[in-house]
Amino acid sequence: MSAVTILGIETSCDETAAAVVTLSRGKMTVRHEAVASQAKLHAKYGGVVPEVAARKQVEAIIPILREVRVRPADIDAIAVTAGPGLVTSLSVGVETAKVLSLAWRKPLLPINHVLAHLYATWLSHPQLVRREASYRPAVGFVISGGHTELVLLKGHGAYALLGRTLDDAAGECLDKSARLLGLPYPGGAALERLARRGRPDAVSFPQPLAHSRELSFSFSGLKTAVRYELERHPAATPRRRADVAASIQAAVVNHLCRRLDGALAQTRAKAVLIGGGVTANETVRLGLAAVAGRHGVPLLLPNRPWTGDNAAMVAAAGLYRWRSLTAAARRRALGTWKSLSAEPNWEL
Ligand code: KG4
Ligand code: ZN
């Protein structure tokens, strides 16, 4: 199969990212990638302020595209995150991609951000690119600040939703708990550092949806339980803060692990692919790897630069989308710019 090169653009939340990725002879190569993060800016507000994020993305998008040195002659198509996410942020990437598609006469491929997170594992594991069929069907597990979703991946573009959160996402729960402990936004990574010195069994938080056999998640009760716990017994000492952090983390990991266990029991999948910002967490990685190990299947993790939002994963998703299209569908993608708009609520 001939080489394919895709430009990926990602602006669904507060990052502005672009990447150029090539798939050639069963090998995926990230040629260039760049990301402008706004984490410090939003830490001031304790969360992402959509209008502020989009305004900064408008400033960042052209420098980021220059940084990845993209030239129209080098690429086959443009892949852009079209949803889900913040509509103002998504629009920056989508409108930029539409202009490039029109000006350069390149096909435009809208990509789902949640699904794109799983393509970070393709970037990280050459054997997945080379011997895909031996990993199918796979359970895909996206655990991020905005999403907690389990899907069954039967092939590229062929997937079924197994379960998702009924309320908050896992990352959101960790961020809100971190905030209650006085840690800066986004608190997931800081909470993990604090938790290293704590005892995970110091506080026993309730197991969400403990009696449900469905693959749904719920994290809002956990967040409320953290608030009550801290109101009853304030985290006055460093020791106590670390204990509370470790206990929250354990409750979140436990919930994630039980659902992965259920998904593997139901589907008899051959592998687990995970993605999303929370999968940078060592306790999450170890917990999920243990569950996969008990089912005798491999757990494929994204390398750390690609756990959070990035454009290389969007380009990788675009590569496989491009490969799956017929010649006629590729020609039609030249006109996608006419009708594409951001889809903030795009569900898998
Ligand atoms: O995938 P991502 O960058 O953005 C979304 O699509 O949401 O995920 C961001 C989330 C935040 O909630 C952040 O606190 C969490 O990932 N996160 C972590 C860690 N690093 C980032 N959570 C736990 N432990 C970490 N080390
Ligand atoms: Zn994300």
Side-chain angles (χ1 to χ4, degrees), residues 146-322:
H147 302 275
T148 311
E149 306 205 3
L150 274 167
V151 289
L152 185 65
L153 297 167
K154 297 174 216 162
H156 298 290
Y159 51 84
L161 184 73
L162 296 171
R164 62 157 57 105
T165 183
L166 304 173
D167 42 57
D168 292 351
E172 200 176 345
C173 172
L174 290 169
D175 291 344
K176 287 176 177 168
S177 303
R179 192 174 184 178
L180 292 169
L181 284 165
L183 299 169
Y185 176 88
L191 187 134
E192 177 178 25
R193 283 193 294 277
L194 183 59
R196 279 191 204 126
R197 286 172 276 129
R199 292 168 301 161
D201 56 354
V203 184
S204 107
F205 288 114
Q207 182 58 236
L209 307 173
H211 303 294
S212 166
R213 291 173 62 83
E214 296 194 359
L215 297 175
S216 310
F217 299 85
S218 169
F219 289 99
S220 66
L222 207 48
K223 171 195 71 191
T224 310
V226 172
R227 185 154 55 78
Y228 286 153
E229 173 65 25
L230 289 172
E231 277 169 13
R232 270 198 309 271
H233 311 286
T237 64
R239 172 83 195 262
R240 163 99 178 122
R241 276 161 48 86
D243 278 350
V244 174
S247 303
I248 299 162
Q249 184 173 266
V252 169
V253 172
N254 201 359
H255 189 28
L256 296 171
C257 285
R258 286 166 62 117
R259 289 301 183 255
L260 178 61
D261 186 54
L264 286 172
Q266 271 184 28
T267 61
R268 302 186 181 280
K270 290 196 200 142
V272 181
L273 315 183
I274 66 172
V278 178
T279 64
N281 185 292
E282 201 56 41
T283 312
V284 169
R285 289 176 166 232
L286 291 172
L288 297 178
V291 175
R294 278 202 296 280
H295 287 266
V297 300
L299 177 89
L300 303 185
L301 300 153
N303 290 344
R304 278 210 173 69
W306 297 316
T307 51
D309 290 349
N310 66 86
M313 68 186 194
V314 176
L319 277 171
Y320 285 103
R321 175 104 191 94
W322 179 247

Side-chain angles (χ1 to χ4, degrees), residues 30-198:
V30 179
R31 296 211 183 158
H32 298 287
E33 68 174 320
V35 53
S37 169
Q38 300 181 18
K40 282 202 185 107
L41 175 69
H42 297 288
K44 266 202 316 212
Y45 303 109
V48 175
V49 182
E51 231 187 88
V52 176
R55 222 180 298 155
K56 288 284 166 198
Q57 284 166 323
V58 168
E59 288 169 20
I61 189 89
I62 291 172
I64 285 292
L65 284 166
R66 289 178 66 109
E67 221 177 290
V68 297
R69 289 179 241 166
V70 56
R71 290 184 318 170
D74 296 341
I75 60 167
D76 293 279
I78 300 167
V80 63
T81 300
L86 301 169
V87 68
T88 40
S89 293
L90 287 165
S91 298
V92 177
V94 167
E95 296 306 317
T96 305
K98 282 161 66 175
V99 171
L100 291 178
S101 166
L102 170 65
W104 290 348
R105 290 194 186 83
K106 294 291 171 183
L108 182 56
L109 311 169
I111 301 294
N112 181 292
H113 178 81
V114 178
L115 205 60
H117 267 300
L118 295 175
Y119 280 87
T121 54
W122 266 267
L123 294 169
S124 311
H125 298 277
Q127 76 272 28
L128 187 56
V129 180
R130 281 198 311 272
R131 292 194 308 275
E132 244 181 34
S134 56
Y135 294 92
R136 276 205 295 254
V139 165
F141 199 1
V142 178
I143 316 166
S144 72
H147 302 275
T148 311
E149 306 205 3
L150 274 167
V151 289
L152 185 65
L153 297 167
K154 297 174 216 162
H156 298 290
Y159 51 84
L161 184 73
L162 296 171
R164 62 157 57 105
T165 183
L166 304 173
D167 42 57
D168 292 351
E172 200 176 345
C173 172
L174 290 169
D175 291 344
K176 287 176 177 168
S177 303
R179 192 174 184 178
L180 292 169
L181 284 165
L183 299 169
Y185 176 88
L191 187 134
E192 177 178 25
R193 283 193 294 277
L194 183 59
R196 279 191 204 126
R197 286 172 276 129

